[in-house]
Amino acid sequence: KLYGFGAWQEGQLGFKQSKTQPPVCVYFPSKCAILDIRCGRYHSILLGADGALYGAGSNEKGQIGIGARKKSVQIKRIDRGYFADNSNAFIAKIGCCELTTYALDKRNQKLIVFGSNINGCLGC
C-alpha cells in the first residue's frame, strides 16, 4: 500500500484534499512494486519495479512529464514517448529538485532530465 501525508496544494500527494493530511492510503495505478519515491517542491515522482515512472502534483514546468502544463491530482504513469528518443527507456534511478526531475535510463545509459532549467538544472 502507498500512503501520502503532508501538504497537498498542487496534488503532489496523489489526491485532492482541502487541508494538510495525516497518512492516507493513495491509489497507485499499477500492480507493480514501488522501488523509490522522490519529491520536488510541488511534485512527486515514483519509480515502479517495471522501470516505469509515475508522477503527481504541479507540472507547471513539465516536471512530472505528462505533457500538458497543468497539475495532476492523481498519480499518473509517465508515457515513455515523452522521453523523445528514449521511448524504450528502463529507468533505474530517479531524483528531483525544486522544479526538475532526473531519471537514469539503465538500458540506454542516459540521464533523462525534464522540468525547469532555472539555474541550469537541466544541464543546458
Side-chain angles (χ1 to χ4, degrees):
K1 291 185 179 182
L2 175 64
Y3 290 88
F5 52 94
W8 60 271
Q9 298 92 315
E10 298 294 327
Q12 63 266 43
L13 297 179
F15 58 89
K16 185 176 181 179
Q17 291 293 328
S18 60
K19 60 182 180 176
T20 301
Q21 291 295 304
V24 174
C25 192
V26 178
Y27 170 74
F28 183 64
S30 176
K31 293 184 181 194
C32 76
I34 300 169
L35 299 180
D36 198 3
I37 301 173
R38 299 294 168 160
C39 301
R41 184 172 189 179
Y42 296 116
H43 74 290
S44 300
I45 298 293
L46 298 86
L47 174 61
D50 58 354
L53 290 181
Y54 301 83
S58 174
N59 195 44
E60 179 182 348
K61 302 293 183 184
Q63 64 267 43
I64 61 171
I66 59 170
R69 303 292 171 126
K70 60 182 182 179
K71 67 182 170 186
S72 175
V73 296
Q74 294 180 333
I75 297 171
K76 294 184 178 179
R77 183 182 174 127
I78 299 171
D79 182 358
R80 289 183 181 153
Y82 185 76
F83 302 153
D85 63 337
N86 301 299
S87 60
N88 68 341
F90 185 88
I91 306 303
K93 293 188 180 210
I94 56 175
C96 293
C97 67
E98 187 171 356
L99 300 169
T100 310
T101 298
Y102 304 89
L104 181 61
D105 175 5
K106 185 176 181 180
R107 181 173 290 137
N108 299 304
Q109 298 296 305
K110 292 183 179 181
L111 180 63
I112 301 167
V113 185
F114 44 98
S116 173
N117 192 34
I118 192 166
N119 299 321
C121 286
L122 297 180
C124 305

